[in-house]
């Protein structure tokens, strides 16, 4: 056998994280192939909204009506840094699909 890799998954840690995330779900207001608009309530001061949208340059982001810069997390996904307890956000590619 060659190139064999064994992984271990911590179910308890996963469930705890899942419960924490479920306490403040993202509410999608509008979406299309090129944009996503929504809101989320979080604990203020350095909260991060992580998405499973692959990170790429070209996203136009606003958070509470102000331009924001998306962040790459886990080497592939797009995230937003949030500072207010109740936040509205929009991600848009600027393309019409």
């Amino acid at each position: 056998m060659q190139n064999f890799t064994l992984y271990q998954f911590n179910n308890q840690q996963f469930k705890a994280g899942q419960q924490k995330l479920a306490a403040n779900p993202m509410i999608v207001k509008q979406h299309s192939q090129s944009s996503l608009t929504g809101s989320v309530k979080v604990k203020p001061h350095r909260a991060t909204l992580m998405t499973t949208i692959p990170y790429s340059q070209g996203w136009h982001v606003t958070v509470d009506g102000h331009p924001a810069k998306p962040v790459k997390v886990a080497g592939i996904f797009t995230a937003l840094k949030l500072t207010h307890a109740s936040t509205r956000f929009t991600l848009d590619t600027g393309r019409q699909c």
Side-chain angles (χ1 to χ4, degrees):
M1 198 177 328
Q2 295 179 352
N3 298 327
F4 179 76
T5 305
L6 184 63
Y7 294 95
Q8 182 176 356
F9 188 77
N10 186 329
N11 263 342
Q12 288 180 330
Q13 186 177 10
F14 177 78
K15 284 181 181 182
Q18 189 178 33
Q19 288 173 343
K20 188 175 180 181
L21 290 172
N24 298 312
M26 175 178 74
I27 299 168
V28 176
K29 304 283 186 180
Q30 179 182 5
H31 67 88
S32 70
Q33 290 179 341
S34 62
S35 69
L36 173 67
T37 300
S39 63
V40 64
K41 291 182 181 180
V42 297
K43 292 184 179 180
H45 309 297
R46 299 186 181 191
T48 300
L49 172 66
M50 184 174 156
T51 72
T52 55
I53 298 170
Y55 180 87
S56 66
Q57 294 183 354
W59 283 102
H60 302 280
V61 178
T62 59
V63 175
D64 292 328
H66 301 285
K69 187 175 181 178
V71 178
K72 183 188 265 188
V73 293
I76 191 170
F77 297 119
T78 302
L80 306 176
K81 296 290 184 180
L82 307 176
T83 57
H84 298 94
S86 183
T87 302
R88 293 182 190 165
F89 62 89
T90 299
L91 293 102
D92 192 317
T93 63
R95 297 187 312 237
Q96 296 295 323
C97 295

